């Protein structure tokens, strides 16, 4: 077999089940959730890449029996050159916990009956830890797993990819499996690309990453070579000549650190816009989603961000109809939206991605209910977006002019808050920042009158 064939071959899974009917059922479920990660059953532990010992505590000496079984597996693991992953599940795992790994270090994973839904996450983490790539069968849906496509500079705005992948394992999401472990580009490489974009006339850079504020790229050696945070990176890119505007997307509430928040207040190139997906306003749902934050955490972050930059425009993502979402849970999402006030937000009906833990959850929400909730949420978000745009009327805003508008003589650009702005003006404004007085607004754009234009950069 050549190496390409090996990479595509399914990984061998052997589950040894002890005890009751419940364990038999759990073993089947484990087999199901592992299939999309490329695991297929094999006849014996010798051929397996992953062995799960699903234990039972009911009979006397059960624990000792498990340790002796694990002793055997350890030898096979050694014979496999360490390729085999050993997981212990079931009641002994529950009772012994981490003690199992202390007594038998060949064990890679211990999971109690309450954590089977985390098995894909644990396996993905374990295989990443040994540098393995999982050959997943996740159906990817571009919308959820792709970043906005990178563009070469073909105007005054450009995307610059700084980070890829995700380690968060939200239970609805394919990204941690399909895009792999979180990885940050080196600061030097990013700065080189940013300089080249600036030289091509780019004035606004959007730093991109699936989890962009988890950024932790290696800094230049002359700066100590330690990892930098996104806040440090933004401040640095802001100093590049010609770069007047910096944005970043997409962030996670858990990585919204104080320095990044402070940068919004003290670095004028940081645009007053934050896309911070929250997904739900219900703590119960957030927990089931494995988000690692509560609604109160989100409110606390927003309060800090607003203290640093009072006029910031907030954006977010929401999922309605996550399995088990009740009317009360959905009301909590509506409450969070009302309490926050968004400039724009994206909302989705929960869609089960085969193989992700949430797809296996009971109490999937009926389609009609998802539709009703989505309509209600989107109506509220539309009202907020219209109101946010209307608030700009009468203000004078800096508009980065990106091109010609649809009507004759009209130009098109973006406000600091990311809104589309149309106004009448000369074509040589393209690529420059114009001062525009806003005279009208709608759901999707602003209209204005040209006041003056900033000097073009040399
Ligand atoms: N169902 C519905 N929405 C999803 N998203 C990601 N996965 C799913 C899914 N299975 C949404 C989240 C995320 C955005 C990019 O896509 O809201 O923030
Ligand atoms: Fe997916 Fe984002 Fe959650 Fe990562 S943080 S698992 S990319 S939704």
């Amino acid at each position: 077999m050549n190496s390409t064939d090996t990479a595509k071959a399914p990984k061998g899974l052997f589950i040894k089940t002890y005890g009751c009917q419940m364990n038999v059922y759990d073993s089947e479920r484990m087999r199901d959730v592992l299939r999309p990660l490329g695991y297929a059953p094999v006849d014996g532990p010798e051929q397996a890449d992953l062995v799960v010992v699903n234990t039972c505590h009911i009979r006397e000496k059960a624990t000792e029996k498990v340790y002796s079984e694990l002793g055997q597996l350890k030898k096979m693991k050694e014979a496999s050159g360490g390729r085999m992953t050993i997981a212990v599940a079931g009641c002994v795992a529950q009772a012994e916990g981490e003690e199992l790994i202390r007594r038998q270090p060949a064990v890679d994973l211990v999971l109690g009956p309450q954590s089977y839904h985390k098995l894909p996450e644990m396996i993905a983490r374990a295989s990443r830890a040994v540098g393995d790539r999982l050959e997943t069968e996740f159906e990817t849906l571009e919308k959820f797993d792709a970043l906005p496509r990178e563009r070469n500079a073909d105007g005054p705005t450009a995307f610059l990819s700084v980070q890829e992948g995700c380690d968060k394992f939200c239970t609805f999401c394919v990204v941690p499996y399909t895009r792999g472990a979180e990885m940050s580009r080196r600061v030097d490489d990013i700065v080189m690309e940013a300089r080249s974009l600036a030289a091509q006339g780019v004035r606004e850079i959007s730093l991109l990453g699936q989890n962009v504020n988890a950024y932790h790229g290696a800094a230049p050696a002359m700066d100590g070579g330690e990892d930098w945070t996104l806040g440090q990176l933004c401040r640095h890119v802001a100093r590049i000549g010609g770069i007047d505007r910096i944005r970043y997307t997409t962030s996670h509430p858990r990585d919204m650190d104080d320095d990044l928040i402070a940068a919004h207040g003290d670095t004028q190139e940081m645009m007053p816009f934050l896309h911070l997906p929250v997904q739900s306003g219900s703590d119960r749902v957030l927990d089931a989603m494995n988000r690692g934050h509560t609604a109160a955490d989100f409110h606390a972050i927003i309060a800090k961000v607003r203290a640093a930059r009072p006029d910031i425009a907030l954006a977010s993502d929401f999922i309605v109809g996550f399995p088990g979402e009740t009317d009360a849970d959905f009301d909590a999402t509506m409450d969070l939206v009302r309490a926050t006030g968004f400039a724009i937000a994206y909302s989705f009906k929960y869609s089960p991605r085969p193989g992700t833990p949430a797809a296996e959850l009971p109490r999937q929400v009926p389609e009609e209910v998802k539709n009703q909730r989505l309509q209600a949420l989107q109506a509220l978000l539309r009202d907020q977006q219209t109101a946010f745009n209307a608030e700009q009327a009468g203000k004078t805003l800096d508009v980065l002019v990106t091109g010609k508008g649809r009507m004759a003589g009209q130009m098109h650009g973006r406000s600091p808050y990311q809104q589309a702005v149309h106004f009448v003006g000369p074509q040589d404004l393209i690529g420059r920042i114009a001062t525009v007085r806003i005279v009208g607004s709608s759901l999707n754009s602003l209209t204005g009158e040209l006041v003056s234009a900033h000097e073009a950069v040399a």
Side-chain angles (χ1 to χ4, degrees):
M1 215 190 271
N2 66 34
S3 61
T4 318
D5 290 337
T6 316
K8 281 189 185 147
K11 295 192 172 232
L13 168 67
F14 185 77
I15 306 186
K16 173 128 193 175
T17 312
Y18 292 95
C20 65
Q21 216 36 50
M22 194 63 212
N23 270 13
V24 174
Y25 171 77
D26 285 344
S27 291
E28 272 166 27
R29 276 190 47 211
M30 287 192 250
R31 226 166 265 135
D32 288 343
V33 298
L34 288 170
R35 200 178 328 105
L37 294 185
Y39 286 92
V42 290
D43 294 334
E46 302 83 4
Q47 306 126 41
D49 298 278
L50 171 63
V51 177
V52 182
V53 187
N54 192 3
T55 61
C56 172
H57 213 195
I58 207 145
R59 262 173 285 132
E60 239 183 301
K61 298 221 174 107
T63 309
E64 285 319 307
K65 221 170 125 197
V66 168
Y67 280 112
S68 100
E69 170 99 34
L70 291 174
Q72 300 295 316
L73 288 171
K74 174 179 183 253
K75 287 185 199 135
M76 287 181 212
K77 180 173 182 160
E78 283 163 1
S80 79
R83 181 189 46 122
M84 179 191 280
T85 301
I86 302 176
V88 185
C91 304
V92 173
Q94 178 84 345
E96 297 277 296
E98 294 296 307
E99 176 63 21
L100 262 163
I101 296 184
R102 267 192 296 279
R103 266 189 71 182
Q104 180 47 274
V107 173
D108 299 283
L109 302 172
V110 178
L111 54 151
Q114 303 314 318
S115 55
Y116 293 150
H117 65 288
K118 289 210 166 169
L119 192 55
E121 168 178 348
M122 293 169 92
I123 296 295
R125 283 187 195 277
S127 68
R128 288 168 175 194
V130 294
D132 224 10
R133 267 192 69 92
L134 285 171
E135 291 294 324
T136 60
E137 279 174 23
F138 281 99
E139 277 176 50
T140 58
L141 200 62
E142 284 296 306
K143 178 165 74 168
F144 298 143
D145 123 350
L147 289 169
R149 207 166 322 129
E150 266 182 78
R151 278 186 285 151
N152 278 331
D154 59 355
T157 64
F159 291 120
L160 201 174
S161 175
V162 303
Q163 181 277 338
E164 264 219 60
C166 179
D167 289 338
K168 298 285 193 296
F169 290 96
C170 300
T171 54
F172 52 80
C173 184
V174 293
V175 168
Y177 308 99
T178 56
R179 298 275 154 167
E182 199 280 307
M183 193 215 78
S184 299
R185 286 180 71 194
R186 302 173 52 80
V187 173
D188 278 341
D189 295 345
I190 295 165
V191 170
M192 215 156 65
E193 201 171 324
R195 284 213 181 97
S196 126
L197 290 169
Q200 296 171 63
V202 167
R203 310 282 304 264
E204 174 179 303
I205 289 185
S206 295
L207 304 176
L208 283 189
Q210 253 112 18
N211 244 236
V212 74
N213 59 341
Y215 179 81
H216 58 95
M222 59 184 274
D223 287 310
E226 286 192 2
D227 284 358
W228 275 9
T229 61
L230 184 65
Q232 287 170 291
L233 181 69
C234 286
R235 291 175 200 275
H236 196 71
V237 175
R239 286 200 291 270
I240 295 175
I243 300 302
D244 296 320
R245 293 179 159 201
I246 294 173
R247 303 180 185 277
Y248 57 90
T249 197
T250 293
S251 303
H252 193 291
R254 267 157 68 185
D255 297 313
M256 207 60 219
D257 65 59
D258 287 345
D259 182 52
L260 180 59
I261 294 174
H264 276 284
D266 63 33
T267 306
Q268 64 163 13
E269 289 83 357
M270 297 278 280
M271 287 296 98
F273 184 93
L274 174 63
H275 181 211
L276 192 63
V278 59
Q279 314 296 357
S280 168
S282 154
D283 288 347
R284 233 175 43 81
V285 172
L286 289 169
D287 188 49
M289 288 176 165
N290 195 30
R291 291 285 297 175
H293 63 80
T294 60
D297 295 334
F298 180 78
H299 288 306
I301 293 165
I302 297 305
K304 279 200 221 171
V305 172
R306 282 191 162 139
R309 183 77 207 229
D311 62 334
I312 199 147
L314 296 171
S316 199
D317 293 352
F318 293 91
I319 294 178
V320 299
F322 186 82
E325 184 187 71
T326 61
D327 286 341
D329 293 320
F330 176 66
D331 289 345
T333 298
M334 295 290 275
D335 287 345
L336 179 140
V337 173
R338 281 187 209 103
T340 309
F342 290 97
I344 189 166
Y346 308 92
S347 41
F348 309 94
K349 286 188 279 185
Y350 169 69
S351 126
R353 314 306 307 143
T356 55
E360 308 294 321
L361 288 174
R363 299 171 59 215
Q364 297 284 329
V365 173
E367 198 59 23
E368 318 84 76
V369 178
K370 286 186 196 171
N371 284 333
Q372 283 161 10
R373 290 180 184 167
L374 189 69
Q375 272 177 29
L377 176 60
Q378 292 190 336
L380 175 59
L381 290 169
R382 263 197 310 274
D383 286 349
Q384 292 195 342
Q385 186 172 331
T386 306
F388 183 82
N389 289 349
E391 278 170 31
Q392 313 305 319
K395 285 193 201 165
T396 301
L397 299 181
D398 277 349
V399 174
L400 175 57
V401 186
T402 50
K404 286 198 271 182
R406 252 177 293 160
M407 318 263 227
Q410 212 184 37
M411 303 306 291
H412 172 274
R414 293 271 162 192
S415 79
Y417 311 106
Q418 188 104 301
Q419 295 140 308
V421 185
H422 302 280
F423 63 96
V424 173
Q427 284 188 26
D428 68 356
L429 285 179
I430 294 174
R432 293 166 66 189
I433 293 177
T435 306
V436 175
R437 189 177 311 106
I438 304 304
V439 295
S441 73
S442 67
L443 173 64
N444 290 314
S445 64
L446 305 177
T447 48
E449 290 165 355
L450 179 64
V451 178
S452 63
H454 297 205
E455 278 313 294
V457 274

